[in-house]
Amino acid sequence: MSAITDEYLKNQIASEPWPKTAYLYQPYEEGQILLAENASCLAVRTYLTMLELPFKVEQRANAEFISPGGKRTKLPVLRVENYTYAEFEPILSFVEQKKLTLTEALSAEDKDDIRTYLCLVEQIFTNAEQYISWLDPKVLNEITKQRNGCVYPFPLNHIQNWRKERSVRRQLSVAEFLTLKLEEVVQRVDKLCESLSMKLGKQLYFYGDEPTELDALVFGHLFSIFTMTLPNNVLAETINNHKNLTIFCKNVEEKYFKKSASTAKKA
């Protein structure tokens, strides 16, 4: 894409208002979605909810194939009229191009700080989630293979599991997680949690009394780890050592999800 075309597209996106309904595609929460996918989907849902943007969640068996090129993509997939984006960071960039932000009142230094944390959270938590799902034998055989292959008939379910595992292993290799022992992965998660815990302190959110995209992303990962039942819960146990992070999760759930569920029920 040329610089002129790219600039035109940015201006076009900025000029168009958010529609009454946008669509967020994800796998079925009941029986299909995996840990890392659930974390990413929940993070985007939390981010859009914090911005009070209307959207509708569409659970699809083939959600990871709903992409601009029709290829397997990362989740979730957001469709806003003629625009389609996948994964937290590209969706965040798209929303910010529309001049919609949670960080308007923050300083440039704080915004740079948030970007650094976003990269760390995505890298460490996502890779740790993929590691425990695909490299821990008990989790792999009892949970991951069943959930990842459940929407496909035999023998396609085995083929899809093989393809997905190969893809995840490549990803972990590039991130230098593939050769780590579980204890080393847990150490990285604990170190990140310690940094996040110190940053949060006794505040409601990481940057004060109002949420940012960092709060949405951290909540997506932590809450997914806490609530998805696995035969190896070492990640949840590690995070639970940082009490203010567990309180943070409860506060975000209470404000943005229990409230919205109550509103929907009344409607």
Side-chain angles (χ1 to χ4, degrees):
M1 184 180 293
S2 68
I4 295 176
T5 304
D6 187 48
E7 188 63 28
Y8 171 79
L9 181 59
K10 288 181 180 179
N11 291 334
Q12 184 71 16
I13 291 173
S15 66
E16 297 172 347
W18 192 269
K20 290 183 179 179
T21 304
Y23 294 90
L24 194 67
Y25 298 101
Q26 66 169 66
Y28 290 110
E29 290 183 3
E30 186 67 34
Q32 183 190 13
I33 200 167
L34 299 176
L35 178 57
E37 297 168 347
N38 191 75
S40 182
C41 292
L42 180 57
V44 172
R45 285 166 53 195
T46 306
Y47 173 61
L48 297 178
T49 301
M50 286 175 170
L51 281 167
E52 299 183 344
L53 295 175
F55 67 97
K56 182 180 180 181
V57 176
E58 293 279 353
Q59 298 187 50
R60 301 286 182 84
N62 65 335
E64 65 178 328
F65 296 100
I66 304 175
S67 65
K71 299 178 180 179
R72 185 192 295 268
T73 187
K74 293 186 177 180
L75 294 164
V77 178
L78 176 69
R79 179 164 65 84
V80 180
E81 296 184 327
N82 296 324
Y83 305 103
T84 305
Y85 293 87
E87 209 177 358
F88 187 87
E89 184 63 33
I91 291 173
L92 171 63
S93 297
F94 168 72
V95 173
E96 288 183 338
Q97 284 179 47
K98 299 183 81 64
K99 310 302 180 183
L100 300 167
T101 179
L102 292 168
T103 58
E104 185 175 3
L106 296 184
S107 66
E109 183 179 357
D110 281 342
K111 291 177 182 178
D112 289 341
D113 197 37
I114 286 174
R115 290 291 178 182
T116 300
Y117 271 112
L118 288 175
C119 291
L120 282 172
V121 169
E122 279 281 46
Q123 180 187 25
I124 294 177
F125 281 146
T126 300
N127 286 316
E129 291 156 1
Q130 296 283 35
Y131 185 103
I132 200 73
S133 296
W134 292 95
L135 269 65
D136 183 280
K138 200 170 182 62
V139 178
L140 174 63
N141 292 312
E142 294 184 16
I143 302 293
T144 305
K145 287 183 178 180
Q146 280 74 13
R147 295 181 74 92
N148 187 69
C150 69
V151 296
Y152 304 103
F154 176 85
L156 186 56
N157 57 340
H158 292 287
I159 296 172
Q160 289 295 338
N161 281 337
W162 175 77
R163 287 176 176 172
K164 183 77 172 183
E165 183 174 359
R166 186 176 63 170
S167 174
V168 170
R169 283 180 172 272
R170 280 199 302 266
Q171 172 192 322
L172 292 175
S173 179
V174 171
E176 298 183 349
F177 267 69
L178 188 61
T179 57
L180 296 180
K181 296 179 180 179
L182 179 58
E183 292 79 8
E184 294 173 308
V185 174
V186 170
Q187 286 174 3
R188 295 192 181 192
V189 169
D190 188 54
K191 187 175 181 180
L192 175 58
C193 286
E194 184 177 348
S195 177
L196 290 171
S197 180
M198 291 179 63
K199 179 64 182 175
L200 180 63
K202 295 182 179 180
Q203 300 177 115
L204 189 59
Y205 302 107
F206 287 101
Y207 287 83
D209 295 329
E210 298 296 330
T212 68
E213 54 265 33
L214 178 61
D215 297 281
L217 184 62
V218 172
F219 173 76
H221 283 283
L222 298 189
F223 194 78
S224 295
I225 290 171
F226 280 137
T227 56
M228 185 166 284
T229 303
L230 301 176
N232 186 341
N233 286 318
V234 64
L235 296 183
E237 292 168 0
T238 301
I239 296 167
N240 201 43
N241 291 327
H242 305 275
K243 296 303 180 183
N244 61 342
L245 295 182
T246 65
I247 294 171
F248 162 80
C249 285
K250 292 177 182 176
N251 289 338
V252 173
E253 181 197 16
E254 184 71 31
K255 180 170 183 179
Y256 293 101
F257 290 97
K258 289 187 176 179
K259 179 182 177 180
S260 60
S262 175
T263 303
K265 188 176 181 180
K266 290 179 182 179

Coordinates of all heavy atoms in Angstrom, one line a residue, residues 58-138:
E58 N -20.4 -12.6 18.0 CA -20.9 -13.8 17.2 C -19.9 -14.9 17.4 O -18.7 -14.9 17.1 CB -20.9 -13.4 15.7 CG -21.9 -12.3 15.3 CD -23.3 -12.9 15.1 OE1 -23.4 -14.1 15.2 OE2 -24.2 -12.0 15.0
Q59 N -20.5 -16.0 18.0 CA -19.6 -17.2 18.2 C -19.8 -18.1 17.0 O -20.9 -18.5 16.6 CB -20.1 -17.9 19.5 CG -19.9 -17.1 20.7 CD -20.2 -17.8 22.0 OE1 -19.7 -18.9 22.2 NE2 -21.1 -17.2 22.9
R60 N -18.6 -18.4 16.4 CA -18.6 -19.2 15.2 C -17.6 -20.3 15.3 O -16.5 -20.1 15.8 CB -18.2 -18.4 14.0 CG -19.2 -17.2 13.7 CD -20.5 -17.6 13.1 NE -21.4 -16.5 12.8 CZ -21.4 -15.8 11.7 NH1 -20.5 -16.1 10.8 NH2 -22.2 -14.8 11.6
A61 N -17.9 -21.5 14.8 CA -16.9 -22.6 14.8 C -15.7 -22.3 14.0 O -14.6 -22.7 14.3 CB -17.6 -23.9 14.2
N62 N -15.9 -21.5 12.9 CA -14.8 -21.1 12.0 C -14.2 -19.7 12.2 O -13.7 -19.1 11.3 CB -15.2 -21.3 10.5 CG -16.3 -20.3 10.2 OD1 -17.0 -19.8 11.0 ND2 -16.4 -20.0 8.9
A63 N -14.3 -19.2 13.4 CA -14.0 -17.8 13.7 C -12.6 -17.5 13.2 O -12.3 -16.4 12.7 CB -14.2 -17.5 15.1
E64 N -11.6 -18.4 13.4 CA -10.2 -18.1 13.1 C -10.0 -18.0 11.6 O -8.9 -17.6 11.2 CB -9.3 -19.1 13.8 CG -9.4 -20.5 13.3 CD -8.4 -21.4 13.9 OE1 -7.3 -20.9 14.3 OE2 -8.7 -22.6 14.1
F65 N -11.0 -18.4 10.8 CA -10.8 -18.3 9.4 C -11.5 -17.1 8.8 O -11.6 -16.9 7.6 CB -11.3 -19.6 8.7 CG -10.4 -20.8 9.1 CD1 -10.9 -21.7 10.1 CD2 -9.2 -21.0 8.5 CE1 -10.1 -22.8 10.5 CE2 -8.4 -22.1 8.9 CZ -8.9 -23.0 9.9
I66 N -12.2 -16.3 9.6 CA -12.9 -15.1 9.1 C -12.0 -14.0 9.1 O -11.9 -13.1 10.0 CB -14.1 -14.8 10.0 CG1 -15.1 -16.0 10.1 CG2 -14.9 -13.6 9.5 CD1 -16.2 -15.8 11.1
S67 N -11.1 -13.9 8.1 CA -10.2 -12.8 8.0 C -10.2 -12.3 6.5 O -10.8 -12.9 5.7 CB -8.7 -13.4 8.2 OG -8.4 -14.3 7.3
P68 N -9.6 -11.1 6.3 CA -9.6 -10.5 5.0 C -9.2 -11.4 3.9 O -9.7 -11.4 2.8 CB -8.7 -9.3 5.1 CG -8.8 -8.9 6.6 CD -8.9 -10.3 7.3
G69 N -8.2 -12.2 4.1 CA -7.7 -13.1 3.1 C -8.2 -14.5 3.1 O -7.8 -15.4 2.4
G70 N -9.1 -14.8 4.1 CA -9.7 -16.1 4.2 C -8.8 -17.1 4.8 O -9.0 -18.3 4.9
K71 N -7.6 -16.6 5.4 CA -6.6 -17.5 6.0 C -6.8 -17.6 7.5 O -7.5 -16.8 8.1 CB -5.2 -17.1 5.6 CG -4.9 -17.0 4.1 CD -3.5 -16.5 3.9 CE -3.2 -16.4 2.4 NZ -1.8 -15.9 2.2
R72 N -6.2 -18.6 8.1 CA -6.3 -18.7 9.5 C -5.6 -17.5 10.1 O -4.6 -17.0 9.7 CB -5.5 -20.0 10.0 CG -5.6 -20.2 11.5 CD -4.5 -21.2 11.9 NE -4.8 -22.5 11.3 CZ -5.5 -23.5 11.9 NH1 -6.1 -23.3 13.1 NH2 -5.7 -24.6 11.3
T73 N -6.3 -16.9 11.1 CA -5.8 -15.7 11.7 C -5.9 -15.7 13.2 O -6.5 -16.7 13.7 CB -6.6 -14.4 11.2 OG1 -6.0 -13.2 11.6 CG2 -8.1 -14.5 11.7
K74 N -5.4 -14.8 13.9 CA -5.5 -14.7 15.3 C -6.8 -14.1 15.7 O -7.5 -13.4 14.9 CB -4.3 -13.9 15.9 CG -3.0 -14.7 15.7 CD -1.9 -14.0 16.4 CE -0.6 -14.8 16.3 NZ 0.6 -14.1 17.0
L75 N -7.2 -14.3 16.9 CA -8.6 -13.9 17.3 C -8.5 -12.8 18.4 O -7.5 -12.6 19.0 CB -9.3 -15.1 17.9 CG -9.6 -16.2 16.9 CD1 -9.9 -17.5 17.6 CD2 -10.7 -15.8 16.0
P76 N -9.7 -12.1 18.5 CA -10.9 -12.2 17.8 C -10.9 -11.4 16.5 O -9.9 -10.8 16.2 CB -11.9 -11.5 18.7 CG -11.1 -10.4 19.4 CD -9.8 -11.0 19.6
V77 N -11.9 -11.5 15.7 CA -12.0 -10.8 14.4 C -13.1 -9.7 14.6 O -14.3 -10.1 14.9 CB -12.3 -11.7 13.3 CG1 -12.5 -10.9 12.0 CG2 -11.2 -12.8 13.1
L78 N -12.8 -8.5 14.3 CA -13.8 -7.4 14.4 C -14.1 -6.9 13.0 O -13.3 -6.6 12.2 CB -13.2 -6.2 15.2 CG -14.0 -5.0 15.3 CD1 -15.3 -5.2 16.2 CD2 -13.2 -3.8 15.9
R79 N -15.4 -6.9 12.8 CA -15.9 -6.3 11.5 C -16.8 -5.1 11.8 O -17.8 -5.2 12.5 CB -16.8 -7.4 10.8 CG -17.3 -6.8 9.4 CD -17.8 -8.0 8.5 NE -18.9 -8.7 9.1 CZ -20.2 -8.3 9.0 NH1 -20.5 -7.2 8.3 NH2 -21.1 -9.0 9.5
V80 N -16.3 -4.0 11.3 CA -17.0 -2.7 11.4 C -17.3 -2.2 10.0 O -16.5 -1.7 9.3 CB -16.2 -1.7 12.2 CG1 -16.9 -0.4 12.3 CG2 -15.8 -2.2 13.5
E81 N -18.5 -2.5 9.6 CA -19.0 -2.2 8.2 C -18.0 -2.8 7.2 O -17.9 -4.0 7.1 CB -19.2 -0.7 8.0 CG -20.3 -0.2 8.9 CD -20.6 1.3 8.7 OE1 -19.7 2.1 8.5 OE2 -21.8 1.6 8.9
N82 N -17.2 -2.0 6.4 CA -16.4 -2.6 5.4 C -15.0 -2.9 5.9 O -14.1 -3.3 5.1 CB -16.3 -1.6 4.2 CG -17.6 -1.4 3.5 OD1 -18.4 -2.3 3.4 ND2 -17.8 -0.1 3.1
Y83 N -14.7 -2.7 7.2 CA -13.4 -3.0 7.7 C -13.4 -4.2 8.6 O -14.3 -4.5 9.4 CB -12.9 -1.8 8.5 CG -13.0 -0.5 7.8 CD1 -14.0 0.4 8.0 CD2 -12.0 -0.1 6.9 CE1 -14.1 1.7 7.3 CE2 -12.1 1.1 6.2 CZ -13.1 2.0 6.4 OH -13.2 3.1 5.7
T84 N -12.3 -5.0 8.4 CA -12.1 -6.2 9.2 C -10.7 -6.3 9.8 O -9.7 -6.1 9.0 CB -12.4 -7.5 8.4 OG1 -13.7 -7.4 7.7 CG2 -12.3 -8.7 9.2
Y85 N -10.6 -6.4 11.1 CA -9.3 -6.5 11.8 C -9.3 -7.6 12.8 O -10.4 -8.0 13.3 CB -9.0 -5.2 12.5 CG -8.8 -4.0 11.6 CD1 -9.9 -3.2 11.1 CD2 -7.5 -3.7 11.1 CE1 -9.7 -2.2 10.2 CE2 -7.4 -2.6 10.2 CZ -8.4 -1.9 9.8 OH -8.3 -0.8 8.9
A86 N -8.2 -8.2 13.0 CA -8.1 -9.3 13.9 C -7.0 -9.1 14.9 O -6.0 -8.4 14.6 CB -7.8 -10.6 13.1
E87 N -7.2 -9.5 16.1 CA -6.2 -9.5 17.2 C -6.3 -8.1 17.9 O -6.7 -7.1 17.4 CB -4.8 -9.8 16.7 CG -3.9 -10.4 17.7 CD -2.6 -10.8 17.1 OE1 -2.3 -10.5 15.9 OE2 -1.7 -11.2 17.9
F88 N -5.8 -8.1 19.2 CA -6.0 -6.9 20.0 C -5.3 -5.7 19.4 O -5.9 -4.6 19.3 CB -5.4 -7.2 21.4 CG -5.7 -6.1 22.4 CD1 -6.8 -6.0 23.1 CD2 -4.7 -5.1 22.6 CE1 -7.1 -5.0 24.0 CE2 -4.9 -4.1 23.5 CZ -6.1 -4.0 24.3
E89 N -4.0 -5.8 19.1 CA -3.2 -4.6 18.7 C -3.8 -3.9 17.4 O -4.0 -2.7 17.4 CB -1.8 -4.9 18.5 CG -0.8 -3.8 18.2 CD -0.8 -2.7 19.3 OE1 -0.9 -3.1 20.5 OE2 -0.7 -1.5 18.9
P90 N -4.1 -4.7 16.3 CA -4.6 -4.1 15.1 C -6.0 -3.5 15.4 O -6.3 -2.4 14.8 CB -4.7 -5.3 14.1 CG -3.6 -6.2 14.6 CD -3.7 -6.1 16.1
I91 N -6.8 -4.1 16.2 CA -8.1 -3.6 16.6 C -8.0 -2.3 17.3 O -8.7 -1.3 17.1 CB -9.0 -4.6 17.4 CG1 -9.3 -5.8 16.4 CG2 -10.2 -3.9 18.0 CD1 -10.0 -6.9 17.1
L92 N -7.0 -2.2 18.3 CA -6.7 -1.0 19.0 C -6.3 0.1 18.1 O -6.8 1.2 18.2 CB -5.6 -1.3 20.0 CG -5.0 -0.1 20.8 CD1 -6.0 0.6 21.6 CD2 -3.8 -0.6 21.6
S93 N -5.5 -0.2 17.1 CA -5.0 0.8 16.2 C -6.2 1.4 15.3 O -6.3 2.6 15.1 CB -3.9 0.3 15.3 OG -2.8 -0.1 16.0
F94 N -7.0 0.5 14.9 CA -8.2 0.8 14.1 C -9.1 1.8 14.9 O -9.5 2.8 14.4 CB -9.0 -0.4 13.7 CG -10.3 -0.1 13.1 CD1 -10.4 0.5 11.8 CD2 -11.5 -0.4 13.8 CE1 -11.7 0.8 11.3 CE2 -12.7 -0.1 13.3 CZ -12.8 0.5 12.0
V95 N -9.4 1.4 16.1 CA -10.3 2.2 17.0 C -9.7 3.6 17.2 O -10.3 4.6 17.2 CB -10.6 1.5 18.3 CG1 -11.4 2.4 19.2 CG2 -11.4 0.2 18.0
E96 N -8.4 3.7 17.4 CA -7.7 4.9 17.7 C -7.7 5.8 16.5 O -7.7 7.0 16.6 CB -6.3 4.7 18.2 CG -6.2 4.1 19.6 CD -4.8 3.9 20.1 OE1 -3.9 3.8 19.3 OE2 -4.6 3.9 21.4
Q97 N -7.7 5.2 15.3 CA -7.7 6.0 14.0 C -9.1 6.7 13.9 O -9.2 7.7 13.3 CB -7.5 5.1 12.8 CG -6.1 4.7 12.6 CD -6.0 3.8 11.4 OE1 -6.5 4.0 10.3 NE2 -5.2 2.7 11.5
K98 N -10.1 6.2 14.6 CA -11.4 6.8 14.6 C -11.5 7.9 15.7 O -12.6 8.3 16.1 CB -12.5 5.8 14.8 CG -12.5 4.7 13.6 CD -13.6 3.7 13.8 CE -14.9 4.3 13.3 NZ -14.9 4.6 11.8
K99 N -10.4 8.2 16.3 CA -10.3 9.2 17.4 C -11.0 8.8 18.6 O -11.6 9.7 19.4 CB -10.8 10.6 16.9 CG -10.2 11.0 15.5 CD -8.7 11.2 15.6 CE -8.1 11.6 14.3 NZ -6.6 11.7 14.3
L100 N -11.1 7.5 18.9 CA -11.7 7.0 20.1 C -10.6 6.4 21.0 O -9.9 5.5 20.5 CB -12.7 5.9 19.7 CG -13.9 6.3 18.8 CD1 -14.6 5.1 18.2 CD2 -14.8 7.2 19.5
T101 N -10.5 6.9 22.1 CA -9.4 6.5 23.0 C -9.7 6.6 24.5 O -10.6 7.3 24.9 CB -8.2 7.5 22.7 OG1 -7.1 7.1 23.6 CG2 -8.5 8.9 23.0
L102 N -9.0 5.8 25.2 CA -9.1 5.8 26.7 C -8.0 6.6 27.4 O -8.0 6.7 28.6 CB -9.1 4.3 27.2 CG -10.3 3.5 26.9 CD1 -10.0 2.0 27.2 CD2 -11.6 3.9 27.6
T103 N -7.1 7.1 26.6 CA -5.9 7.7 27.1 C -5.7 9.2 26.8 O -4.6 9.7 26.9 CB -4.6 6.9 26.7 OG1 -4.6 7.0 25.2 CG2 -4.6 5.5 27.1
E104 N -6.8 9.8 26.4 CA -6.7 11.2 26.0 C -6.1 12.1 27.1 O -5.3 13.1 26.8 CB -8.1 11.8 25.6 CG -8.1 13.2 25.1 CD -9.4 13.6 24.6 OE1 -10.4 12.8 24.7 OE2 -9.5 14.7 24.0
A105 N -6.4 11.9 28.4 CA -6.0 12.7 29.4 C -4.6 12.4 29.9 O -4.0 13.2 30.8 CB -7.0 12.6 30.6
L106 N -4.0 11.3 29.4 CA -2.6 11.0 29.9 C -1.5 11.7 29.2 O -1.7 12.2 28.0 CB -2.5 9.4 29.7 CG -3.4 8.5 30.5 CD1 -3.0 7.1 30.3 CD2 -3.3 8.9 32.0
S107 N -0.4 11.8 29.8 CA 0.8 12.4 29.2 C 1.4 11.5 28.1 O 1.1 10.3 28.1 CB 1.8 12.7 30.3 OG 2.4 11.5 30.8
A108 N 2.2 12.1 27.3 CA 2.9 11.4 26.2 C 3.8 10.3 26.9 O 3.9 9.2 26.3 CB 3.8 12.3 25.4
E109 N 4.4 10.6 28.0 CA 5.3 9.6 28.7 C 4.4 8.4 29.2 O 4.9 7.3 29.0 CB 5.9 10.3 29.9 CG 6.9 9.4 30.6 CD 7.6 10.1 31.8 OE1 7.3 11.3 32.0 OE2 8.3 9.4 32.5
D110 N 3.3 8.7 29.7 CA 2.4 7.6 30.2 C 1.9 6.7 29.0 O 1.8 5.5 29.1 CB 1.2 8.1 30.9 CG 1.5 8.5 32.4 OD1 2.5 8.1 32.9 OD2 0.7 9.3 33.0
K111 N 1.6 7.4 27.9 CA 1.2 6.6 26.7 C 2.3 5.7 26.2 O 2.0 4.6 25.8 CB 0.7 7.6 25.6 CG -0.6 8.3 26.0 CD -0.9 9.4 24.9 CE -2.2 10.1 25.3 NZ -2.5 11.1 24.3
D112 N 3.5 6.2 26.2 CA 4.7 5.4 25.8 C 4.8 4.2 26.8 O 5.1 3.1 26.4 CB 5.9 6.2 25.7 CG 6.0 7.2 24.6 OD1 5.2 7.0 23.6 OD2 6.7 8.1 24.6
D113 N 4.6 4.5 28.0 CA 4.7 3.5 29.1 C 3.7 2.4 28.9 O 4.0 1.2 29.0 CB 4.5 4.1 30.4 CG 5.0 3.3 31.6 OD1 6.1 2.6 31.4 OD2 4.4 3.3 32.6
I114 N 2.5 2.8 28.5 CA 1.4 1.8 28.3 C 1.8 0.9 27.1 O 1.6 -0.3 27.1 CB 0.1 2.5 28.0 CG1 -0.5 3.1 29.3 CG2 -0.9 1.6 27.3 CD1 -1.7 4.0 29.1
R115 N 2.3 1.5 26.0 CA 2.7 0.7 24.8 C 3.8 -0.4 25.2 O 3.7 -1.5 24.7 CB 3.3 1.6 23.8 CG 2.3 2.5 23.1 CD 1.3 1.7 22.3 NE 0.3 2.6 21.7 CZ -0.7 2.1 20.9 NH1 -0.8 0.8 20.7 NH2 -1.6 2.9 20.4
T116 N 4.7 0.0 26.1 CA 5.7 -1.0 26.5 C 5.0 -2.1 27.3 O 5.3 -3.3 27.0 CB 6.7 -0.3 27.4 OG1 7.4 0.8 26.7 CG2 7.8 -1.3 27.9
Y117 N 4.1 -1.8 28.2 CA 3.4 -2.8 29.0 C 2.6 -3.7 28.1 O 2.5 -4.9 28.3 CB 2.6 -2.2 30.0 CG 3.3 -2.0 31.4 CD1 3.6 -0.7 31.8 CD2 3.7 -3.0 32.2 CE1 4.2 -0.5 33.0 CE2 4.3 -2.8 33.4 CZ 4.6 -1.5 33.8 OH 5.3 -1.4 35.0
L118 N 1.9 -3.1 27.1 CA 1.1 -3.9 26.2 C 1.9 -4.9 25.5 O 1.5 -6.1 25.3 CB 0.4 -2.9 25.1 CG -0.7 -2.0 25.6 CD1 -1.1 -1.1 24.5 CD2 -1.9 -2.8 26.1
C119 N 3.1 -4.6 25.0 CA 4.0 -5.5 24.3 C 4.4 -6.7 25.3 O 4.4 -7.8 24.9 CB 5.2 -4.8 23.8 SG 4.9 -3.7 22.4
L120 N 4.7 -6.3 26.5 CA 5.2 -7.3 27.5 C 4.0 -8.3 27.8 O 4.2 -9.5 27.9 CB 5.7 -6.6 28.7 CG 7.1 -6.0 28.7 CD1 7.4 -5.2 29.9 CD2 8.1 -7.1 28.5
V121 N 2.9 -7.7 28.1 CA 1.7 -8.5 28.4 C 1.4 -9.5 27.3 O 1.1 -10.7 27.5 CB 0.5 -7.6 28.8 CG1 -0.8 -8.5 28.9 CG2 0.8 -6.9 30.1
E122 N 1.3 -9.0 26.1 CA 1.0 -9.8 24.9 C 2.0 -10.9 24.8 O 1.7 -12.1 24.6 CB 0.9 -9.0 23.7 CG -0.4 -8.3 23.5 CD -1.6 -9.2 23.0 OE1 -1.7 -10.3 23.5 OE2 -2.3 -8.7 22.1
Q123 N 3.3 -10.6 24.8 CA 4.3 -11.5 24.6 C 4.4 -12.6 25.7 O 4.4 -13.8 25.4 CB 5.7 -10.8 24.5 CG 6.8 -11.8 24.3 CD 8.2 -11.1 24.3 OE1 8.3 -10.1 25.0 NE2 9.2 -11.7 23.7
I124 N 4.4 -12.2 26.9 CA 4.6 -13.2 28.0 C 3.4 -14.0 28.3 O 3.4 -15.2 28.4 CB 5.2 -12.5 29.2 CG1 6.6 -11.9 29.0 CG2 5.2 -13.5 30.4 CD1 7.2 -11.1 30.1
F125 N 2.3 -13.3 28.5 CA 1.0 -14.1 28.9 C 0.6 -15.0 27.7 O 0.2 -16.1 27.9 CB -0.1 -13.1 29.3 CG 0.0 -12.6 30.7 CD1 -0.4 -11.3 31.0 CD2 0.5 -13.4 31.7 CE1 -0.3 -10.8 32.3 CE2 0.7 -12.9 33.0 CZ 0.2 -11.6 33.3
T126 N 0.6 -14.4 26.5 CA 0.1 -15.2 25.4 C 1.0 -16.5 25.2 O 0.4 -17.6 25.0 CB 0.0 -14.4 24.1 OG1 -0.8 -13.3 24.2 CG2 -0.4 -15.3 22.9
N127 N 2.3 -16.3 25.2 CA 3.2 -17.4 25.0 C 3.1 -18.4 26.2 O 3.1 -19.6 25.9 CB 4.6 -17.0 24.8 CG 4.8 -16.3 23.5 OD1 4.4 -16.9 22.4 ND2 5.5 -15.2 23.4
A128 N 2.9 -17.9 27.4 CA 2.7 -18.8 28.5 C 1.4 -19.6 28.4 O 1.4 -20.8 28.7 CB 2.7 -18.0 29.8
E129 N 0.4 -19.0 27.9 CA -0.9 -19.6 27.7 C -0.8 -20.7 26.6 O -1.4 -21.8 26.8 CB -2.0 -18.6 27.3 CG -2.4 -17.7 28.5 CD -2.9 -16.4 28.1 OE1 -3.1 -16.1 26.8 OE2 -3.2 -15.5 28.9
Q130 N -0.1 -20.4 25.5 CA 0.0 -21.4 24.5 C 0.9 -22.5 25.0 O 0.7 -23.7 24.6 CB 0.7 -20.7 23.3 CG -0.1 -19.6 22.6 CD -1.2 -20.2 21.7 OE1 -1.8 -21.2 22.0 NE2 -1.5 -19.5 20.6
Y131 N 1.9 -22.2 25.7 CA 2.8 -23.2 26.3 C 2.1 -24.2 27.1 O 2.2 -25.4 26.9 CB 4.0 -22.5 27.1 CG 5.0 -23.5 27.6 CD1 6.3 -23.5 26.9 CD2 4.8 -24.3 28.7 CE1 7.3 -24.4 27.4 CE2 5.8 -25.1 29.1 CZ 7.0 -25.2 28.5 OH 8.0 -26.1 28.9
I132 N 1.3 -23.7 28.1 CA 0.6 -24.6 29.0 C -0.5 -25.4 28.2 O -0.7 -26.6 28.6 CB 0.0 -23.9 30.2 CG1 -0.3 -24.8 31.4 CG2 -1.3 -23.1 29.8 CD1 0.9 -25.2 32.1
S133 N -1.0 -24.8 27.2 CA -2.1 -25.5 26.4 C -1.6 -26.6 25.5 O -2.2 -27.6 25.3 CB -2.9 -24.5 25.6 OG -3.5 -23.6 26.5
W134 N -0.4 -26.4 24.9 CA 0.1 -27.3 23.9 C 1.3 -28.1 24.2 O 1.6 -29.1 23.6 CB 0.4 -26.5 22.6 CG -0.9 -26.0 22.0 CD1 -1.5 -24.7 22.1 CD2 -1.8 -26.7 21.1 NE1 -2.6 -24.6 21.4 CE2 -2.8 -25.8 20.8 CE3 -1.8 -28.0 20.5 CZ2 -3.9 -26.2 19.9 CZ3 -2.8 -28.3 19.7 CH2 -3.8 -27.5 19.4
L135 N 2.1 -27.7 25.3 CA 3.3 -28.4 25.6 C 3.1 -29.2 26.9 O 3.9 -30.1 27.2 CB 4.5 -27.4 25.7 CG 5.3 -27.2 24.4 CD1 4.4 -26.6 23.4 CD2 6.5 -26.4 24.7
D136 N 2.2 -28.8 27.8 CA 1.9 -29.6 29.0 C 1.1 -30.8 28.5 O 0.0 -30.7 28.1 CB 1.2 -28.8 30.0 CG 1.0 -29.6 31.3 OD1 0.0 -30.4 31.3 OD2 1.7 -29.3 32.3
P137 N 1.7 -32.1 28.7 CA 1.0 -33.3 28.2 C -0.4 -33.5 28.7 O -1.3 -33.9 28.0 CB 1.9 -34.4 28.6 CG 3.3 -33.7 28.8 CD 3.0 -32.4 29.3
K138 N -0.6 -33.2 30.0 CA -1.9 -33.5 30.6 C -2.9 -32.5 30.0 O -4.1 -32.9 29.7 CB -1.8 -33.3 32.1 CG -2.9 -34.0 32.9 CD -2.6 -34.0 34.3 CE -3.7 -34.8 35.1 NZ -3.9 -36.2 34.8

